[in-house]
Amino acid sequence: MPELPEVETTLRGIEPHLLNQRVARIIVRDPRLRWPVPTDVSKAKGQTITSLERRGKYLLLKLQQGGLIIHLGMSGSLRILQEPRPPEKHDHVDVELQNGVCLRFNDPRRFGAFLWVDGEMQSHELLRNLGPEPLSGEFTAGYLYQRSRNRSVAIKNFIMNGHIVVGVGNIYASEALFMAGIHPLRAAGRVSRQRYEGLVEAICDVLERAIRRGGTTLRDFVNSDGAPGYFARELLVYDRAGSDCFQCGCTIKQKTIGQRSSYYCPACQR
DNA sequence: ATTGACTCCTGATGGC
DNA sequence: TGCCATCAGGAGTCAA
């Protein structure tokens, strides 16, 4: 479910409640996530949370010694509870603070992750080989152009590949390709340098606007207050199959690309 | 090295 | 009401 804007929204929501706070204990009700929640997470007990960061769609909670990696998968969400509340269905993990606040991880589909790292977090296997942050200076047309040479993979899959660039998921990939006028099936290696300029601009623009709206809620995304995001009303193509293209008026198409639904305008995107 | 298919899991929705 | 098929904001893993 959550892409970069939704994870960023979650981070901004939880950070003020967690930063510089001490962990009282971690309760694991159901360790069966994407990987089993390790018993090591109890090492957080008694430690202060020294920083919270986002890397792609991963949330990093750094402690004095080690840290937690949290990924929301398709259906995960984090909530801040100011006072104790009985757990509900799929509330798999709680991080209880000594001041009584609780960070609660809920994930119906259990594709998310809740992991412990002993040493430097960025050297963790899951993070080590990730591509640049799309909203950083490293993410440029030149970079995408160079990485894409001689590659036949569809441009939509290419920009959704976290080893190329992090954080761009199924919604924002469709949106950015529409904004840049690029057909989602076009081979990444057959996109010109100039059109990569437009694509980089589109990716940054759509992600920044989505963050401002608190992310996209299509079905079940909620922020750390339990509120939805409001970017869905600004989507140009995603989930609009059969509707009129806002740009040219012809019909938005839906096609499965790399086992994911993709939306595009066959006239505007080439 | 790249690629594409498969997999994990629960819940919502729609057709019959 | 029930039953079944299909689909869903991710991404690691495997085989070719």
Side-chain angles (χ1 to χ4, degrees):
Chain A
M1 137 186 44
E3 304 183 38
L4 186 150
E6 293 73 36
V7 179
E8 180 67 23
T9 297
T10 299
L11 172 66
R12 294 179 185 188
I14 66 174
E15 183 179 44
H17 298 98
L18 300 186
L19 187 61
N20 298 325
Q21 296 299 321
R22 197 173 290 272
V23 175
R25 59 173 177 159
I26 297 193
I27 301 172
V28 181
R29 290 188 200 79
D30 190 344
R32 296 175 303 163
L33 298 181
R34 168 124 205 211
W35 298 280
V37 179
T39 54
D40 273 356
V41 296
S42 66
K43 291 180 180 173
K45 187 172 175 174
Q47 293 206 60
T48 296
I49 300 170
T50 56
S51 74
L52 293 94
E53 292 169 28
R54 178 187 58 70
R55 179 74 178 98
K57 299 172 193 168
Y58 293 93
L59 287 165
L60 315 180
L61 273 66
K62 296 194 179 177
L63 302 166
Q64 292 157 293
Q65 294 271 303
L68 295 164
I69 296 180
I70 301 174
H71 195 288
L72 301 177
M74 286 283 261
S75 58
S77 60
L78 288 167
R79 298 285 293 275
I80 291 289
L81 307 182
Q82 297 291 348
E83 48 201 65
R85 268 175 56 180
E88 294 175 16
K89 203 171 184 184
H90 308 305
D91 283 342
H92 304 313
V93 183
D94 282 356
V95 179
E96 288 184 357
L97 305 180
Q98 286 184 352
N99 66 4
V101 169
C102 174
L103 177 73
R104 181 163 281 176
F105 178 78
N106 178 285
D107 186 5
R109 295 178 72 181
R110 291 192 273 114
F111 289 170
F114 198 102
L115 299 170
W116 176 259
V117 186
D118 269 314
E120 274 304 293
M121 300 195 78
Q122 42 271 31
S123 56
H124 189 277
E125 198 55 37
L126 288 171
L127 309 177
R128 195 173 2 163
N129 297 314
L130 291 179
E133 288 289 330
L135 300 179
S136 76
E138 284 176 75
F139 182 61
T140 63
Y143 165 79
L144 271 192
Y145 181 77
Q146 170 255 317
R147 292 294 306 266
S148 64
R149 289 310 87 184
N150 300 317
R151 296 195 57 167
S152 61
V153 66
I155 184 68
K156 174 156 181 278
N157 296 335
F158 184 69
I159 61 173
M160 287 178 66
N161 179 348
H163 300 291
I164 302 299
V165 57
V166 295
V168 182
N170 205 36
I171 294 180
Y172 302 113
S174 277
E175 293 294 301
L177 288 169
F178 172 76
M179 292 163 66
I182 301 171
H183 195 288
L185 277 177
R186 173 170 286 273
R190 301 179 125 257
V191 173
S192 71
R193 165 81 193 226
Q194 186 168 4
R195 302 184 83 202
Y196 272 119
E197 300 275 359
L199 181 56
V200 165
E201 199 177 329
I203 289 172
C204 294
D205 179 58
V206 73
L207 294 178
E208 284 171 351
R209 284 187 297 116
I211 290 170
R212 274 186 240 132
R213 294 284 174 265
T216 300
T217 299
L218 289 175
R219 299 160 242 286
D220 50 11
F221 172 71
V222 288
N223 67 20
S224 60
D225 298 323
Y230 296 99
F231 193 68
R233 59 183 68 167
E234 296 181 34
L235 294 174
L236 301 175
V237 288
Y238 191 85
D239 216 15
R240 294 195 64 244
S243 301
D244 295 346
C245 171
F246 291 130
Q247 209 162 266
C248 77
C250 73
T251 306
I252 299 297
K253 298 282 180 254
Q254 174 175 12
K255 192 177 186 67
T256 299
I257 301 173
Q259 293 79 238
R260 311 296 297 278
S261 262
S262 305
Y263 301 84
Y264 64 99
C265 171
C268 294
Q269 295 176 252
R270 297 291 167 174

Short mmCIF file of all heavy atoms in Angstrom, two decimals, chain A residues 95-138:
data_model
loop_
_atom_site.label_atom_id
_atom_site.label_comp_id
_atom_site.label_asym_id
_atom_site.label_seq_id
_atom_site.Cartn_x
_atom_site.Cartn_y
_atom_site.Cartn_z
N VAL A 95 5.47 -0.83 20.39
CA VAL A 95 6.67 -0.29 21.04
C VAL A 95 6.18 0.65 22.13
O VAL A 95 5.65 1.73 21.84
CB VAL A 95 7.57 0.48 20.04
CG1 VAL A 95 8.79 1.07 20.75
CG2 VAL A 95 8.01 -0.44 18.91
N GLU A 96 6.32 0.22 23.36
CA GLU A 96 5.85 1.04 24.48
C GLU A 96 6.98 1.91 25.00
O GLU A 96 8.09 1.43 25.23
CB GLU A 96 5.35 0.14 25.62
CG GLU A 96 4.05 -0.56 25.32
CD GLU A 96 3.56 -1.37 26.52
OE1 GLU A 96 4.26 -1.43 27.56
OE2 GLU A 96 2.47 -1.96 26.39
N LEU A 97 6.68 3.19 25.19
CA LEU A 97 7.67 4.12 25.71
C LEU A 97 7.47 4.28 27.22
O LEU A 97 6.38 4.02 27.75
CB LEU A 97 7.54 5.48 25.03
CG LEU A 97 7.62 5.45 23.51
CD1 LEU A 97 7.47 6.85 22.93
CD2 LEU A 97 8.95 4.83 23.05
N GLN A 98 8.54 4.75 27.85
CA GLN A 98 8.45 4.91 29.31
C GLN A 98 7.50 6.02 29.71
O GLN A 98 7.01 6.05 30.84
CB GLN A 98 9.86 5.13 29.89
CG GLN A 98 10.65 3.81 29.90
CD GLN A 98 12.00 3.93 30.56
OE1 GLN A 98 12.45 5.03 30.90
NE2 GLN A 98 12.67 2.79 30.75
N ASN A 99 7.19 6.93 28.78
CA ASN A 99 6.23 8.01 29.11
C ASN A 99 4.78 7.61 28.87
O ASN A 99 3.88 8.44 28.95
CB ASN A 99 6.57 9.28 28.32
CG ASN A 99 6.36 9.09 26.82
OD1 ASN A 99 5.89 8.04 26.36
ND2 ASN A 99 6.70 10.10 26.06
N GLY A 100 4.55 6.34 28.53
CA GLY A 100 3.18 5.86 28.38
C GLY A 100 2.66 5.86 26.95
O GLY A 100 1.62 5.26 26.66
N VAL A 101 3.39 6.53 26.03
CA VAL A 101 2.98 6.52 24.63
C VAL A 101 3.31 5.16 24.01
O VAL A 101 4.27 4.50 24.45
CB VAL A 101 3.68 7.66 23.85
CG1 VAL A 101 3.49 7.53 22.35
CG2 VAL A 101 3.16 9.02 24.34
N CYS A 102 2.51 4.75 23.03
CA CYS A 102 2.73 3.45 22.38
C CYS A 102 2.70 3.61 20.86
O CYS A 102 1.82 4.28 20.31
CB CYS A 102 1.64 2.47 22.83
SG CYS A 102 1.69 0.89 21.98
N LEU A 103 3.70 3.03 20.19
CA LEU A 103 3.70 2.94 18.72
C LEU A 103 3.18 1.56 18.37
O LEU A 103 3.77 0.54 18.76
CB LEU A 103 5.12 3.11 18.18
CG LEU A 103 5.27 2.95 16.67
CD1 LEU A 103 4.69 4.15 15.92
CD2 LEU A 103 6.75 2.76 16.30
N ARG A 104 2.07 1.50 17.64
CA ARG A 104 1.41 0.22 17.35
C ARG A 104 1.47 -0.09 15.87
O ARG A 104 1.06 0.72 15.03
CB ARG A 104 -0.03 0.28 17.85
CG ARG A 104 -0.80 -1.00 17.64
CD ARG A 104 -2.04 -1.03 18.51
NE ARG A 104 -1.71 -1.40 19.90
CZ ARG A 104 -2.61 -1.43 20.89
NH1 ARG A 104 -3.87 -1.11 20.66
NH2 ARG A 104 -2.24 -1.78 22.11
N PHE A 105 1.96 -1.28 15.54
CA PHE A 105 2.12 -1.72 14.15
C PHE A 105 0.99 -2.68 13.80
O PHE A 105 0.84 -3.74 14.42
CB PHE A 105 3.48 -2.41 13.99
CG PHE A 105 3.75 -2.97 12.62
CD1 PHE A 105 4.14 -2.13 11.58
CD2 PHE A 105 3.62 -4.32 12.36
CE1 PHE A 105 4.41 -2.65 10.31
CE2 PHE A 105 3.88 -4.84 11.09
CZ PHE A 105 4.27 -4.00 10.07
N ASN A 106 0.20 -2.30 12.80
CA ASN A 106 -0.92 -3.12 12.33
C ASN A 106 -0.67 -3.51 10.88
O ASN A 106 -0.28 -2.65 10.07
CB ASN A 106 -2.22 -2.32 12.45
CG ASN A 106 -3.44 -3.09 11.95
OD1 ASN A 106 -3.65 -3.24 10.76
ND2 ASN A 106 -4.24 -3.56 12.88
N ASP A 107 -0.87 -4.77 10.53
CA ASP A 107 -0.63 -5.19 9.16
C ASP A 107 -1.43 -6.43 8.79
O ASP A 107 -0.98 -7.56 8.99
CB ASP A 107 0.87 -5.45 8.96
CG ASP A 107 1.21 -5.74 7.50
OD1 ASP A 107 0.31 -5.64 6.63
OD2 ASP A 107 2.39 -6.07 7.23
N PRO A 108 -2.62 -6.23 8.22
CA PRO A 108 -3.49 -7.37 7.89
C PRO A 108 -2.82 -8.43 7.01
O PRO A 108 -2.91 -9.62 7.27
CB PRO A 108 -4.67 -6.73 7.17
CG PRO A 108 -4.72 -5.33 7.69
CD PRO A 108 -3.28 -4.95 7.95
N ARG A 109 -2.14 -7.98 5.95
CA ARG A 109 -1.61 -8.97 5.02
C ARG A 109 -0.26 -9.53 5.44
O ARG A 109 0.21 -10.50 4.86
CB ARG A 109 -1.52 -8.36 3.61
CG ARG A 109 -2.89 -8.04 3.05
CD ARG A 109 -2.80 -7.39 1.70
NE ARG A 109 -2.39 -8.33 0.66
CZ ARG A 109 -2.24 -8.00 -0.61
NH1 ARG A 109 -2.42 -6.74 -0.99
NH2 ARG A 109 -1.88 -8.89 -1.49
N ARG A 110 0.37 -8.87 6.41
CA ARG A 110 1.65 -9.34 6.96
C ARG A 110 2.77 -9.42 5.91
O ARG A 110 3.62 -10.31 5.96
CB ARG A 110 1.47 -10.69 7.67
CG ARG A 110 0.67 -10.53 8.95
CD ARG A 110 0.71 -11.75 9.84
NE ARG A 110 -0.32 -12.70 9.50
CZ ARG A 110 -0.11 -13.92 9.01
NH1 ARG A 110 1.14 -14.34 8.81
NH2 ARG A 110 -1.10 -14.71 8.75
N PHE A 111 2.75 -8.50 4.94
CA PHE A 111 3.88 -8.38 4.02
C PHE A 111 4.91 -7.41 4.57
O PHE A 111 5.97 -7.20 3.97
CB PHE A 111 3.41 -7.85 2.65
CG PHE A 111 2.61 -8.84 1.85
CD1 PHE A 111 1.96 -8.44 0.71
CD2 PHE A 111 2.51 -10.16 2.23
CE1 PHE A 111 1.22 -9.33 -0.05
CE2 PHE A 111 1.77 -11.07 1.49
CZ PHE A 111 1.12 -10.65 0.35
N GLY A 112 4.60 -6.79 5.66
CA GLY A 112 5.51 -5.82 6.26
C GLY A 112 6.64 -6.50 6.99
O GLY A 112 6.74 -7.73 7.04
N ALA A 113 7.53 -5.68 7.54
CA ALA A 113 8.69 -6.22 8.27
C ALA A 113 8.96 -5.38 9.51
O ALA A 113 8.69 -4.17 9.54
CB ALA A 113 9.92 -6.23 7.37
N PHE A 114 9.48 -6.05 10.52
CA PHE A 114 9.85 -5.40 11.78
C PHE A 114 11.12 -6.11 12.24
O PHE A 114 11.07 -7.22 12.75
CB PHE A 114 8.70 -5.57 12.80
CG PHE A 114 8.76 -4.60 13.94
CD1 PHE A 114 7.93 -3.48 13.98
CD2 PHE A 114 9.64 -4.81 15.00
CE1 PHE A 114 7.96 -2.60 15.05
CE2 PHE A 114 9.68 -3.92 16.06
CZ PHE A 114 8.85 -2.81 16.08
N LEU A 115 12.27 -5.46 11.99
CA LEU A 115 13.55 -6.14 12.15
C LEU A 115 14.48 -5.39 13.09
O LEU A 115 14.33 -4.18 13.30
CB LEU A 115 14.23 -6.28 10.78
CG LEU A 115 13.45 -7.08 9.73
CD1 LEU A 115 14.10 -6.94 8.37
CD2 LEU A 115 13.36 -8.55 10.15
N TRP A 116 15.42 -6.11 13.63
CA TRP A 116 16.45 -5.53 14.49
C TRP A 116 17.78 -5.50 13.75
O TRP A 116 18.11 -6.44 13.03
CB TRP A 116 16.59 -6.34 15.77
CG TRP A 116 17.70 -5.82 16.65
CD1 TRP A 116 18.96 -6.34 16.78
CD2 TRP A 116 17.65 -4.66 17.47
NE1 TRP A 116 19.69 -5.57 17.64
CE2 TRP A 116 18.92 -4.53 18.08
CE3 TRP A 116 16.67 -3.71 17.75
CZ2 TRP A 116 19.22 -3.48 18.94
CZ3 TRP A 116 16.97 -2.68 18.61
CH2 TRP A 116 18.23 -2.57 19.20
N VAL A 117 18.53 -4.40 13.92
CA VAL A 117 19.88 -4.30 13.38
C VAL A 117 20.83 -3.99 14.52
O VAL A 117 20.58 -3.07 15.29
CB VAL A 117 19.99 -3.16 12.33
CG1 VAL A 117 21.36 -3.18 11.69
CG2 VAL A 117 18.91 -3.30 11.29
N ASP A 118 21.92 -4.74 14.57
CA ASP A 118 22.89 -4.51 15.66
C ASP A 118 23.82 -3.34 15.38
O ASP A 118 23.99 -2.48 16.22
CB ASP A 118 23.72 -5.78 15.89
CG ASP A 118 23.07 -6.67 16.95
OD1 ASP A 118 22.66 -6.13 17.99
OD2 ASP A 118 22.96 -7.89 16.71
N GLY A 119 24.39 -3.30 14.21
CA GLY A 119 25.41 -2.27 13.96
C GLY A 119 24.87 -1.07 13.22
O GLY A 119 23.79 -0.57 13.53
N GLU A 120 25.62 -0.62 12.22
CA GLU A 120 25.19 0.50 11.39
C GLU A 120 23.99 0.08 10.55
O GLU A 120 24.04 -0.92 9.84
CB GLU A 120 26.34 0.92 10.47
CG GLU A 120 27.29 1.91 11.12
CD GLU A 120 26.55 3.15 11.62
OE1 GLU A 120 26.05 3.91 10.77
OE2 GLU A 120 26.48 3.36 12.85
N MET A 121 22.93 0.86 10.59
CA MET A 121 21.71 0.44 9.90
C MET A 121 21.86 0.44 8.40
O MET A 121 21.37 -0.45 7.72
CB MET A 121 20.54 1.32 10.32
CG MET A 121 20.27 1.28 11.80
SD MET A 121 18.68 1.95 12.24
CE MET A 121 17.60 0.61 11.78
N GLN A 122 22.55 1.47 7.85
CA GLN A 122 22.61 1.58 6.39
C GLN A 122 23.39 0.45 5.73
O GLN A 122 23.27 0.23 4.53
CB GLN A 122 23.17 2.94 5.95
CG GLN A 122 24.35 3.43 6.76
CD GLN A 122 23.88 4.25 7.97
OE1 GLN A 122 22.82 4.02 8.53
NE2 GLN A 122 24.69 5.21 8.37
N SER A 123 24.17 -0.28 6.55
CA SER A 123 24.90 -1.40 5.96
C SER A 123 24.10 -2.70 5.98
O SER A 123 24.57 -3.74 5.55
CB SER A 123 26.23 -1.59 6.71
OG SER A 123 25.98 -1.78 8.08
N HIS A 124 22.87 -2.62 6.48
CA HIS A 124 22.01 -3.81 6.48
C HIS A 124 21.75 -4.28 5.05
O HIS A 124 21.64 -3.47 4.12
CB HIS A 124 20.68 -3.50 7.17
CG HIS A 124 19.82 -4.72 7.40
ND1 HIS A 124 19.01 -5.25 6.42
CD2 HIS A 124 19.67 -5.51 8.49
CE1 HIS A 124 18.39 -6.33 6.91
NE2 HIS A 124 18.78 -6.50 8.16
N GLU A 125 21.65 -5.58 4.90
CA GLU A 125 21.49 -6.19 3.59
C GLU A 125 20.34 -5.58 2.78
O GLU A 125 20.45 -5.39 1.58
CB GLU A 125 21.26 -7.70 3.77
CG GLU A 125 21.49 -8.53 2.54
CD GLU A 125 22.90 -8.32 1.95
OE1 GLU A 125 23.87 -8.16 2.73
OE2 GLU A 125 22.99 -8.31 0.71
N LEU A 126 19.24 -5.27 3.46
CA LEU A 126 18.07 -4.74 2.75
C LEU A 126 18.28 -3.31 2.27
O LEU A 126 17.60 -2.85 1.36
CB LEU A 126 16.84 -4.76 3.68
CG LEU A 126 16.24 -6.13 3.98
CD1 LEU A 126 15.20 -6.01 5.07
CD2 LEU A 126 15.62 -6.74 2.72
N LEU A 127 19.21 -2.60 2.90
CA LEU A 127 19.37 -1.17 2.60
C LEU A 127 20.60 -0.87 1.76
O LEU A 127 20.70 0.16 1.11
CB LEU A 127 19.46 -0.37 3.91
CG LEU A 127 18.35 -0.63 4.93
CD1 LEU A 127 18.60 0.18 6.20
CD2 LEU A 127 16.98 -0.28 4.35
N ARG A 128 21.57 -1.81 1.83
CA ARG A 128 22.89 -1.53 1.29
C ARG A 128 22.89 -1.20 -0.19
O ARG A 128 23.61 -0.31 -0.63
CB ARG A 128 23.81 -2.73 1.55
CG ARG A 128 25.24 -2.38 1.36
CD ARG A 128 26.22 -3.44 1.76
NE ARG A 128 25.60 -4.68 2.23
CZ ARG A 128 26.26 -5.82 2.32
NH1 ARG A 128 27.51 -5.85 1.97
NH2 ARG A 128 25.67 -6.90 2.77
N ASN A 129 22.08 -1.93 -0.96
CA ASN A 129 22.14 -1.74 -2.40
C ASN A 129 20.97 -0.96 -2.98
O ASN A 129 20.65 -1.10 -4.16
CB ASN A 129 22.23 -3.11 -3.08
CG ASN A 129 23.51 -3.83 -2.69
OD1 ASN A 129 24.59 -3.24 -2.70
ND2 ASN A 129 23.39 -5.10 -2.31
N LEU A 130 20.34 -0.15 -2.15
CA LEU A 130 19.22 0.63 -2.65
C LEU A 130 19.70 1.79 -3.52
O LEU A 130 20.80 2.32 -3.32
CB LEU A 130 18.40 1.19 -1.48
CG LEU A 130 17.63 0.16 -0.66
CD1 LEU A 130 16.88 0.85 0.48
CD2 LEU A 130 16.65 -0.62 -1.54
N GLY A 131 18.87 2.18 -4.47
CA GLY A 131 19.16 3.32 -5.32
C GLY A 131 19.01 4.62 -4.56
O GLY A 131 18.66 4.63 -3.38
N PRO A 132 19.25 5.74 -5.22
CA PRO A 132 19.16 7.05 -4.56
C PRO A 132 17.74 7.42 -4.17
O PRO A 132 16.77 6.90 -4.73
CB PRO A 132 19.70 8.01 -5.63
CG PRO A 132 19.49 7.31 -6.92
CD PRO A 132 19.64 5.85 -6.63
N GLU A 133 17.64 8.34 -3.23
CA GLU A 133 16.36 8.93 -2.88
C GLU A 133 15.91 9.84 -4.03
O GLU A 133 16.70 10.68 -4.50
CB GLU A 133 16.51 9.77 -1.60
CG GLU A 133 16.68 8.96 -0.33
CD GLU A 133 15.40 8.24 0.07
OE1 GLU A 133 14.31 8.76 -0.22
OE2 GLU A 133 15.50 7.15 0.67
N PRO A 134 14.65 9.71 -4.45
CA PRO A 134 14.20 10.52 -5.59
C PRO A 134 14.18 12.02 -5.28
O PRO A 134 14.26 12.83 -6.20
CB PRO A 134 12.79 9.99 -5.88
CG PRO A 134 12.38 9.27 -4.64
CD PRO A 134 13.63 8.76 -4.01
N LEU A 135 14.07 12.38 -4.01
CA LEU A 135 14.01 13.81 -3.68
C LEU A 135 15.37 14.33 -3.22
O LEU A 135 15.46 15.32 -2.50
CB LEU A 135 12.94 14.06 -2.61
CG LEU A 135 11.53 13.64 -3.04
CD1 LEU A 135 10.51 13.90 -1.93
CD2 LEU A 135 11.11 14.38 -4.31
N SER A 136 16.42 13.62 -3.66
CA SER A 136 17.77 14.08 -3.33
C SER A 136 18.48 14.51 -4.61
O SER A 136 18.05 14.20 -5.71
CB SER A 136 18.57 12.95 -2.69
OG SER A 136 18.99 12.02 -3.68
N GLY A 137 19.58 15.20 -4.44
CA GLY A 137 20.35 15.67 -5.58
C GLY A 137 20.98 14.56 -6.41
O GLY A 137 21.35 14.77 -7.56
N GLU A 138 21.08 13.37 -5.82
CA GLU A 138 21.67 12.25 -6.56
C GLU A 138 20.80 11.76 -7.70
O GLU A 138 21.28 11.09 -8.61
CB GLU A 138 21.86 11.04 -5.62
CG GLU A 138 22.98 11.10 -4.64
CD GLU A 138 22.91 9.86 -3.77
OE1 GLU A 138 23.28 8.78 -4.27
OE2 GLU A 138 22.43 9.97 -2.63
#
